[in-house]
Amino acid sequence: MIGFIQQFDPVMQAFIATLFTWGVTAAGAALVFFTKAVNPKVMDSMLGFAAGVMIAASFWSLLAPGIEMAEQLGHTPWLTAVIGFMGGGIFMRLTDKFLPHLHPGLSIDKSEGVKTSWQRSTLLVLAITLHNIPEGLAVGVAFGAVAANLPSATIGGAIALAIGIGIQNFPEGTAVSMPLRREGMSKGKSFLMGQASGIVEPIAGVIGALFVLKMQNILPYALCFAAGAMIFVVVEEIIPEAQRDNANIDMVTMATMIGFSVMMILDVSLG
């Protein structure tokens, strides 16, 4: 796998990797062809697992390399990390505040962002799209960092990040397509709406890779920015969604820890 990816330039590497993550989103949405619903315990556990993957990816694949790169480039490591990390969180907070969206399982009157007359299906897709923006950026930045030839950035680590994000995209595709199917939308349209939420990842991945290749001095900030954006999504959206049912909290917590462990193994072994 590493040999195959290395034959392409960094932007194409990021594009291929994010096509994979989009594909896993589509695979999750495709469950709608086989069933109208997923057991709530299974769905909550899948979301908890996704949260664990994203938390681990934020540290092992983004924050830690960002801090190391900041030191190598002569920046103040802790200051770089804080500026980038908080910048990512603030960016996602502003996006969350203004972009109309609706979290799965909620009625349309509980939609967030600027009020709009858009349909429920559109708002659901936008909610998961909001998750996927920082994920695509993170993969793009990771592959762009490899091109900078800094020791802390490895092709294996970038691939591990893409695999981890791909794994956690599966329940996100399901979280869009299943509610739409239960509400009477056809299987085909429910699938199309579910996979559409992942389209933004290849776009964000290419933008992230191009950005850091053109401005390598801001690379440490970009890595920490992506980490902050991902942590915001985990804490503000994924974990609350996974823990809506108090009876499942212990199971969700263990699923989160398993997800963290899987991503940690991927990053340490491949990176």
Side-chain angles (χ1 to χ4, degrees), residues 14-15 17-19 21-23 25 91-92 95 99 125-140 165 169 172 193-208:
F15 182 66
T18 47
L19 279 180
T21 61
W22 176 22
T25 304
F91 170 78
M92 290 307 299
T95 305
L99 179 70
V125 171
L126 286 175
I128 305 301
T129 299
L130 185 63
H131 293 186
N132 290 341
I133 291 172
E135 295 166 11
L137 284 172
V139 174
I165 287 178
N169 273 359
E172 291 186 353
M193 297 299 287
Q195 63 82 33
S197 63
I199 291 176
V200 71
E201 289 202 3
I203 299 170
V206 168
I207 291 172

Side-chain angles (χ1 to χ4, degrees), residues 73-92:
L73 293 173
H75 301 168
T76 305
W78 66 265
L79 183 60
T80 299
V82 169
I83 292 173
F85 186 81
M86 291 304 299
I90 292 169
F91 170 78
M92 290 307 299

Side-chain angles (χ1 to χ4, degrees), residues 42-211:
V42 174
M43 193 67 217
D44 289 348
S45 297
M46 289 168 66
L47 288 171
F49 181 90
V53 168
M54 290 181 70
I55 293 169
S58 296
F59 177 74
W60 295 101
S61 298
L62 299 170
L63 264 180
I67 291 170
E68 187 176 339
M69 288 178 193
E71 189 170 7
Q72 292 167 353
L73 293 173
H75 301 168
T76 305
W78 66 265
L79 183 60
T80 299
V82 169
I83 292 173
F85 186 81
M86 291 304 299
I90 292 169
F91 170 78
M92 290 307 299
R93 174 67 186 99
L94 293 173
T95 305
D96 186 68
K97 181 177 176 64
F98 294 108
L99 179 70
H101 61 285
L102 176 67
H103 298 299
L106 300 181
S107 58
I108 195 165
D109 62 297
K110 293 184 179 178
S111 63
E112 299 179 14
V114 176
K115 296 305 177 185
T116 177
S117 60
W118 292 348
Q119 293 184 348
R120 173 182 170 83
S121 57
T122 302
L123 294 174
L124 280 169
V125 171
L126 286 175
I128 305 301
T129 299
L130 185 63
H131 293 186
N132 290 341
I133 291 172
E135 295 166 11
L137 284 172
V139 174
V141 168
F143 280 99
V146 176
N149 294 319
L150 293 170
S152 53
T154 66
I155 189 69
I159 291 173
L161 177 62
I163 293 172
I165 287 178
I167 291 171
Q168 65 86 38
N169 273 359
F170 190 88
E172 291 186 353
T174 306
V176 175
S177 63
M178 287 298 179
L180 296 177
R181 177 59 180 153
R182 287 197 299 271
E183 291 169 9
M185 187 176 286
S186 69
K187 292 179 182 180
K189 191 170 181 180
S190 297
F191 166 74
L192 288 175
M193 297 299 287
Q195 63 82 33
S197 63
I199 291 176
V200 71
E201 289 202 3
I203 299 170
V206 168
I207 291 172
L210 283 171
F211 190 64

Side-chain angles (χ1 to χ4, degrees), residues 1-14 16 143 155:
M1 180 188 298
I2 292 178
F4 170 75
I5 288 289
Q6 283 180 317
Q7 65 182 308
F8 300 101
D9 67 84
V11 174
M12 183 56 68
Q13 289 173 355
I16 292 170
F143 280 99
I155 189 69

Side-chain angles (χ1 to χ4, degrees), residues 122 213 223:
T122 302
L213 285 173
L223 286 165

